[in-house]
Amino acid sequence: MKIAFTSTGKDLEAQIDPRFGRTAFFVLLDTETTELEVIDNSAIQEEAHGAGTATAQLLFKLKPDVLITGNGPGETAAKVLKKSAIRIFVEAHQMSLRDALKHFENGDLREV
Amino acid sequence: MTDSQPNRIAVASGKGGTGKTLVSTHLAHTLSQSKDCVLVDLDVEEPNAHLFYEQANPTFEMPVFKQIPDWQSNICTRCGQCAEICAYHAVVQLGEMIMVLDELCHSCYACSELCPVEALPMKNHEIGSLSSLQHENLTIFTGKLRLGEEQAVPLIKKSIALSNQEIKDQTYIIYDSPPGTSCPVVAAVGNANLVLLITEPTPFGLNDLKIAIETMRQMDKPLAVILNRDGIGNDEVEQYCDVNNIPLIAKIPYNEDIARNYAQGKLSNEVPQMADAMKAVEEYIQKIQFHHA
């Protein structure tokens, strides 16, 4: 399974970025191989408009099975993500990616 | 006032709830006693000026559209140029699909024009309505944004353009602007040759007045300040206007009769404090030289 985290940093010790559209990084974890892939999304800070849909388009290309994030995508970004099969889990605020993964595996994160 | 062109007065404020509609409706009433006057409610997310003229005759109501791209999946080659060029990320490419987010589209036509196979012709998308009322010398236009639409600017621009068609020389036009200093306000005051900034004598009122003044100066707009709910708060707004040579042309005292009438959708031109304030504004408007672009 491929899991995407919205992240403030580049490894599993980093904190979850609570924002979806303006997340600094996506960290992709392959749970079979435990390999990590890091996608820098920081250029989005320059965008005045449509950060949510732009990031949703990027995530669509990355094709994870699961997204773990904080606040959850806004309405417009959610409209885009609905076109994908990605399952979205939210409210992983103030957790490291590792903690968020643990919560996800225990079924403690809310799916939207 | 020597010009024969209409005098366009925008009523704006940095802070919400300071009395834009109060001033717009009362000023329109005052000015229309002697001349044709047009009041355009550009606070399209919550227009309310018309509530004070329930006795007026409705003259028309029409839908207002913006243009958005209409993806033709059978023609599209999925080259992705449209999603690439869209500055607002209103067009996204999702694998084999192009998705248009109607509410984010700014109608810039870039995707439509650049598409090599013309797979994105533009189509009408209804964003709201424009209606009109007539009461003696006063014409009222109301722009109303549809629920769920995010962009007020296209409707504000259309409302200004359509109301312009009704305007004769020597008319006063009053634009009741939305609050704040963002794009809708810039669109609403863009056409005006005088901006009346309404504020209240509180720290919030002063803070937001400063931001509004800065915005109007960048737009090169002549401005004057009207103080509403005078008597509450402190005198910092007056001091600020004094020190910075900003004309403070009228004060509307905090008054329960005015508040009660307003809450009931009634004008207070009969209340002496309001009558005095409107007279001061009218005199100022008659005195100044309007600059026409």
Side-chain angles (χ1 to χ4, degrees), chain A residues 44 47 49-51 53-54 56-57 60-61 63 76 79-80 83, chain B residues 83 87-89 91-95 97 99 101 103-104 106 150:
Chain A
I44 203 75
E47 299 282 329
H49 303 273
T53 51
Q57 179 177 250
F60 195 96
K61 277 184 208 153
K63 288 191 171 36
T76 322
K79 230 188 260 180
V80 175
K83 303 284 176 193
Chain B
Y88 308 98
H89 302 294
V91 181
V92 289
Q93 184 174 22
L94 308 172
M97 187 194 170
M99 188 177 185
L101 287 308
E103 61 276 26
L104 297 187
H106 281 57
E150 290 185 19

Side-chain angles (χ1 to χ4, degrees), chain B residues 40 42 51 64 69 72 93 119 124 160 202 205-206 214 216 226 236 241 264-265 292:
Chain B
V40 192
L42 297 176
L51 298 175
V64 177
Q72 310 290 311
Q93 184 174 22
N124 271 339
I160 292 173
T202 64
L206 177 59
E214 202 181 318
M216 296 311 143
I226 297 174
E236 282 177 16
C241 290
Q264 292 173 350
H292 296 294

Side-chain angles (χ1 to χ4, degrees), chain A:
Chain A
M1 183 171 51
K2 211 161 131 186
I3 301 177
F5 300 87
T6 56
S7 175
T8 57
K10 299 179 179 178
D11 56 39
L12 290 179
E13 309 316 318
Q15 291 280 307
I16 290 279
D17 195 326
R19 305 165 303 175
F20 174 75
R22 295 191 185 273
T23 184
F25 299 96
F26 277 119
V27 173
L28 289 176
L29 168 70
D30 186 324
T31 52
E32 267 100 77
T33 63
T34 70
E35 255 176 74
L36 288 184
E37 189 188 346
V38 178
I39 291 95
D40 190 339
N41 193 45
S42 53
I44 203 75
Q45 301 311 333
E46 309 297 320
E47 299 282 329
H49 303 273
T53 51
T55 300
Q57 179 177 250
L58 169 65
L59 191 65
F60 195 96
K61 277 184 208 153
L62 298 175
K63 288 191 171 36
D65 301 290
V66 164
L67 166 70
I68 295 177
T69 185
N71 302 329
E75 206 178 309
T76 322
K79 230 188 260 180
V80 175
L81 290 176
K82 265 195 198 124
K83 303 284 176 193
S84 73
I86 304 167
R87 296 176 68 187
I88 303 168
F89 292 83
V90 296
E91 290 166 9
H93 301 81
Q94 291 168 345
M95 294 181 197
S96 67
L97 269 49
R98 196 179 293 285
D99 284 347
L101 178 63
K102 213 173 285 165
H103 278 82
F104 167 71
E105 284 169 343
N106 293 338
D108 292 338
L109 291 181
R110 188 166 68 86
E111 185 169 3
V112 291

